Structure formats: structure tokens, C-alpha cells
Amino acid sequence: MSIRNEFQRQAIAAHVAQRLAGPARAILGFQELLIEQARDLGLPHMQPDLERIGTAARQLNGLIDHLLDGTACSPEVPLAEAEARLRHDLRTPLNAIIGYSEMLLEDARDAHEHPLKEDLGVILAAAGELLKQVDAIAGLSRGPAIEMLQSGEQSEIDAAGLERLLFTTKHDAWPDQGGRILVVDDVASNRDLLSRRLRREGHRVVAAESGLSALARLAEDEFDLILLDILMPDMNGIEMLSRLKSEDRWRHVPVIMISGLSDVAAVAKCIEAGADDYLTKPFNPVLLRARINSTLEKKRWLDREHRYLQRIETEKRRADTLIHAILPDQIVNRLQDGEEIIADRFEEVSILFADIVGFSAIAKRLPPSDLVSRLDGMFSRFDLLTEQHRVEKIKTIGDAYMAACGIPEPAADHADRIVALAKSMLESLRDLPPERDRFRVRIGIHSGPVVAGLIGRLRFVYDVWGETVNIASRLESQGVADGIQISEATRRSLRGQWTLEPRCALDLRGIGPIETYLVQ
């Protein structure tokens, strides 16, 4: 902190001596008294925390001594940075003093040790008074701040009284479910104090002494909340907050910034960077409890929302998989685009029918479960083959199987693809072990125009209609076992080299004679 003139220097010295040195010396004195009282009362478990209060009190008195002799800050340090550092340095030991005193006060209340309660109350009141003066001291280098300080003294707020009021307020019960909290602070006493308080409240706490250490902890485990200090040596809180919000895996974890800085600019910067809340050191236990409770509850709601969205996404994927198994992808896309009536005419399509020879006799001999299992095995193999040959399975009708090529997307090689499918279907059955009830199929194929569309509202189906379908069915029913019978129209549509054997001319009622061929 730079001091403009001798008047300001004297003002600072006077104010520090009056407002800071007295309470700080009192804290140290009462701490020494409490050490003796705890020893006399046989309360050795309080000694470590009392020693910590003493350590913090000596640190605080050392800082105040430097303020009094004018060596607290270097003149080369910029004013804003010097003030921020001064606030941080003064609040750090105060944070430890207040925090450990609060915990000891709770223990003393439980043990009904009235002398300890009174002295701890004095320490807390003195610390509260000191806390109130920190910002005023830090701003004394500016001329107007002196006037503000003088007017502030006239309308002094009873911070100690407010503190007592807050302490006597009945605390709301914490939710049964504690959170997993990561505490990041480079000051060991702050980490220890905050961690112990949170564990006492039922939370699981992990502490990290720096931003880099915190990132390593985050990589190893999941947390419900991060309490993040701003001033740290390797990575400051704003930088770490930006890192957290830039990573998908950590973006949803709420962050409460903790700092001795109480400037509005610092708070605004943290909120803009993505912080969920801001707490200044030393912590008011009621405010700390309320902020953490609120943030964890918000996190739980977000987790629930995230789980619900995941469940909805899973169900949506299942529904999409199911509908894609029933309908061609192009038809699904048209439905999802809002098309309500799907009906198309295709001029060049090949239709395949396959039917099991002697199925009724086989069905009588086989147990139902065996029969269904065999049908399922055969039709499943056919389904895979339709995908391999890029042919659309239309449906199964009892023991018959129907497929089409050239719908819903026209295909110039529709006849070649569906004949190749037919040959693969027969080969898949020939590969099965020979047995009495082995399935043998007849296959008929015809090519021509069809109408295709989606029908039904329940158990809807994408189907094809027209004379081409009827002729293909007749070719199958009048075909031969383990054979593929195609029409003259299909033969003309073939582009590849296929070995065909002319068979006969079938006279179909209402259609007339058509030439047929067997695919070799």
C-alpha cells in the first residue's frame, strides 16, 4: 500500500493501533488463558485447536506490527494488488481464529464448561471487530477512505451483536444425504478448518492445496461440490474455474468461490466465469451451511434431471431401433419429418416369395417349441441375407417369406439383387445338417410395377400391392422344392450373367400365360 503523505501515514498508524492492535492482543491473551483453563479442567482434546488459535493470533499480531511500522507492503506493488493482498493476509488468520473458536465453543456448550464459553465468546467478538476493520484498513491509502472511515465510525454496526444473534438462531437440520466436497485452498489452516466443519456436518471431504492438485483429484474421483479459493500460487481460482467449465466431465459440478476478497468486481468476475456462489472468509457458519445446502440440493435436482434425460434418451434409442427393425430407414425418416400418409408407386420392382415345402406335415410332427425355434432360426438367417443383398424384407406370412427390391429406393439392379438373395437363402438351408424334418423351400420371383405404402395405426406395416405381387406368389406356389422360379419379366430385368433353365409357360387366371425359368 502506498501512502501519499504523512497525514495519511499517521491516520493509518492511529487507526491500526486503535482498531486492530487492541483486539488482536486480546485474542492472544485470551488464547493463553484458555490453554490454562483447558489444562486445569482436564480437557486435553481441546489443546490442539487452542494451539491453532494461538498460531493464527501470533500471525495476525505480526501482520499488525508490520502495519504499524510501515513495512506491510512494498511501495513498488500496485495499489489494488497491495490492498487485495492485505485483505487476504489479514483475513486468513482471522478465518482460522473464528473457525476453531466456533468449533471449540460448540464443544464447550456440550461439556457445559461456562468459563470456556465466556472466553471463547470474547475471542469471537474481538475477531468480529477485527474483521469489520479489515476493509477499512486496506482502503486507507486513498484519501477519501479516511473520511468514509470517520463517518463509518459514527454509524458503527454492532457486528458482535449480530454475530451473537446469528449464533443463537436455531439451525435447520442438514439433509440426511451429505455431499462429496472438494476443498481447494493453499492455506493449510483454512483447509483443515473447513474440512473438519464439513465432515462434522456429515459431508465427505477431500482437500487439495492447489489448483493443479485439485485437477488431479477431480480426475480420480467425482464430487458434488467444489469450494475453491481465489488466491493460490500455481493456478488462481478464476483460471481453475475456467478450466472446470471448459471440460464436459466437470462442467456440471457446482463451484462456490471462497476468498478474503470482498470486492464486487471479484464476485462479479467469479460469477461471470461460472461460479455458482461466493463466500468471503472467514465464514459465517450459518451462511456457509445455507449456501452449501442450497448448492447441493440444486446439484441433486440437476443429477435427477440428467438421469431422467439419459433414461429418455435410452428409451428413444430403443424405440428408434425397434421402428428401424420394422420399417425401412427411408420410411422412418419420412415419418419423423411429419409425413402422415406414405403411399408410392414404383414401376420397376422385383418381388420374392419363399414358402416351406410340406410345412403342414412337419408342423404336425414337431413340438410347438421346436417348430417355432426352427422357423425363427430360418427367418433370422433370411433377415440377415436381405441386409447383405440390400433387399427389403416385407413380412412373413405363416411359413412364407416375402421380400422386395427396388423399394422404397428405386434400384436398377433390383432383379439381380433379389435373385442373388434367393440363391443365398437356398444355400443357407443346404448348409444345415441333414435330417428328416429339414426345411426345404420353393422360391418365386416376378418383376414389375407395385404400389407400396404404410398401413395401420397399431402394428403398422410397410407393404406392397399389385399384380406383380400376385404373380410372384403364383410362381412360388407352382415352383419346385429347393428351386428358384422366375418370370420372363424378371429375366429381362437381369443385368448380370445368370444360368437359367426354361421351364414352362404358366397360364395364370386373369393374366394369361407367362414364360418361366429356373435359376441354376
Side-chain angles (χ1 to χ4, degrees):
M1 164 167 52
S2 63
I3 302 171
R4 292 180 179 180
N5 53 46
E6 182 61 21
F7 171 75
Q8 286 186 334
R9 193 197 67 76
Q10 292 178 358
I12 292 172
H15 190 84
V16 169
Q18 181 180 358
R19 295 295 185 182
L20 292 187
R25 307 288 189 261
I27 289 173
L28 193 55
F30 275 95
Q31 179 268 342
E32 294 169 351
L33 187 60
L34 280 166
I35 288 277
E36 297 175 3
Q37 288 179 327
R39 184 170 56 244
D40 295 343
L41 292 170
L43 302 171
H45 63 282
M46 290 187 171
Q47 294 287 339
D49 284 346
L50 287 171
E51 292 292 350
R52 292 185 179 96
I53 293 175
T55 301
R58 285 188 285 277
Q59 180 185 356
L60 177 66
N61 277 277
L63 288 168
I64 292 172
D65 289 342
H66 288 308
L67 280 173
L68 288 172
D69 61 22
T71 59
C73 298
S74 169
E76 289 77 19
V77 177
L79 178 60
E81 182 180 339
E83 291 184 1
R85 173 55 60 184
L86 180 60
R87 287 193 186 94
H88 175 269
D89 291 347
L90 288 171
R91 283 174 177 269
T92 296
L94 277 172
N95 180 36
I97 291 169
I98 293 175
Y100 286 118
S101 297
E102 289 169 348
M103 289 196 294
L104 284 172
L105 187 58
E106 293 175 9
D107 292 342
R109 284 174 178 154
D110 294 339
H112 303 291
E113 295 296 345
H114 297 292
L116 294 180
K117 286 193 296 184
E118 292 176 2
D119 291 342
L120 286 167
V122 172
I123 289 179
L124 283 170
E129 176 63 23
L130 284 169
L131 187 62
K132 193 174 61 174
Q133 300 299 325
V134 167
D135 289 340
I137 290 297
L140 275 177
S141 61
R142 297 186 291 266
I146 297 177
E147 298 177 1
M148 292 173 61
L149 178 65
Q150 291 168 344
S151 60
E153 287 175 340
Q154 294 173 359
S155 57
E156 186 176 359
I157 298 173
D158 186 2
L162 180 59
E163 193 76 6
R164 284 194 298 274
L165 179 62
L166 292 174
F167 275 109
T168 55
T169 302
K170 184 178 179 181
H171 299 314
D172 295 333
W174 280 80
D176 295 335
Q177 182 184 1
R180 186 165 179 78
I181 300 176
L182 176 62
V183 174
V184 188
D185 197 313
D186 62 317
V187 179
S189 61
N190 287 344
R191 291 197 306 272
D192 178 59
L193 185 61
L194 193 51
S195 299
R196 289 175 56 182
R197 177 170 290 284
L198 294 173
R199 289 192 183 102
R200 180 178 288 186
E201 302 290 357
H203 299 291
R204 291 165 293 163
V205 182
V206 174
E209 70 278 9
S210 67
L212 295 178
S213 174
L215 292 176
R217 292 282 191 178
L218 283 164
E220 297 171 353
D221 208 344
E222 294 184 356
F223 294 92
D224 299 315
L225 172 63
I226 300 171
L227 296 180
L228 179 59
D229 190 18
I230 291 183
L231 295 175
M232 291 187 293
D234 57 352
M235 176 186 291
N236 67 49
I238 301 292
E239 292 171 342
M240 184 177 170
L241 186 61
S242 300
R243 176 73 179 276
L244 292 174
K245 298 306 174 185
S246 66
E247 298 270 355
D248 289 339
R249 53 183 170 168
W250 298 327
R251 185 175 300 158
H252 69 285
V253 181
V255 178
I256 295 179
M257 305 301 293
I258 52 177
S259 175
L261 301 177
S262 59
D263 301 85
V264 173
V267 178
K269 183 67 176 176
C270 291
I271 298 299
E272 288 173 355
D276 295 82
D277 211 333
Y278 192 100
L279 282 170
T280 55
K281 300 175 185 176
F283 306 111
N284 180 299
V286 176
L287 192 58
L288 175 68
R289 182 192 301 259
R291 294 278 179 82
I292 290 180
N293 192 14
S294 172
T295 305
L296 287 177
E297 185 62 20
K298 192 184 304 179
K299 170 70 164 43
R300 293 186 188 103
W301 278 105
L302 289 174
D303 288 345
R304 291 191 195 103
E305 180 184 0
H306 183 62
R307 288 194 294 273
Y308 290 147
L309 290 175
Q310 282 186 321
R311 193 178 305 168
I312 290 172
E313 186 61 30
T314 300
E315 294 299 326
K316 182 177 181 300
R317 283 198 296 269
R318 288 179 56 188
D320 287 345
T321 301
L322 181 61
I323 196 168
H324 279 283
I326 296 173
L327 301 175
D329 293 345
Q330 298 89 338
I331 302 302
V332 174
N333 293 336
R334 290 167 65 179
L335 284 173
Q336 291 175 341
D337 289 340
E339 197 168 343
E340 296 183 353
I341 299 176
I342 295 177
D344 304 297
R345 181 178 180 85
F346 299 90
E347 297 299 332
E348 291 293 334
V349 174
S350 288
I351 303 295
L352 175 150
F353 274 93
D355 193 45
I356 299 174
V357 179
F359 178 75
S360 297
I362 295 174
K364 286 181 181 178
R365 291 194 296 270
L366 292 177
S369 59
D370 195 5
L371 178 66
V372 172
S373 175
R374 287 182 177 215
L375 282 173
D376 178 63
M378 184 184 73
F379 287 150
S380 295
R381 286 193 292 276
F382 289 177
D383 288 347
L384 292 175
L385 293 173
T386 58
E387 290 184 350
Q388 292 175 9
H389 292 281
R390 292 177 293 150
V391 172
E392 289 294 336
K393 171 194 175 182
I394 301 301
K395 58 187 173 183
T396 59
I397 312 164
D399 62 315
Y401 192 90
M402 179 182 177
C405 191
I407 59 169
E409 290 292 330
D413 58 345
H414 58 89
D416 294 88
R417 275 200 250 160
I418 211 159
V419 169
L421 168 66
K423 288 179 71 70
S424 296
M425 292 166 70
L426 293 180
E427 288 169 0
S428 72
L429 295 177
R430 291 193 194 105
D431 294 339
L432 295 176
E435 55 180 327
R436 179 188 177 190
D437 294 322
R438 184 174 70 86
F439 288 156
R440 303 175 66 194
V441 299
R442 295 185 303 263
I443 297 178
I445 298 174
H446 181 57
S447 302
V450 299
V451 171
L454 189 67
I455 56 171
R457 288 295 178 266
L458 298 175
R459 298 178 183 174
F460 47 80
V461 62
Y462 182 69
D463 211 339
V464 291
W465 302 273
E467 189 177 79
T468 301
V469 177
N470 296 333
I471 293 174
S473 177
R474 300 276 183 87
L475 290 173
E476 174 274 314
S477 63
Q478 298 185 39
V480 296
D482 301 326
I484 306 166
Q485 182 166 239
I486 67 172
S487 65
E488 172 64 19
T490 299
R491 187 195 68 79
R492 290 197 302 269
S493 299
L494 288 172
R495 296 187 166 194
Q497 297 296 320
W498 299 90
T499 302
L500 304 177
E501 176 187 344
R503 189 182 178 214
C504 61
L506 294 179
D507 188 10
L508 303 181
R509 188 177 60 183
I511 298 173
I514 63 170
E515 296 294 329
T516 63
Y517 303 83
L518 292 177
V519 180
Q520 300 299 306

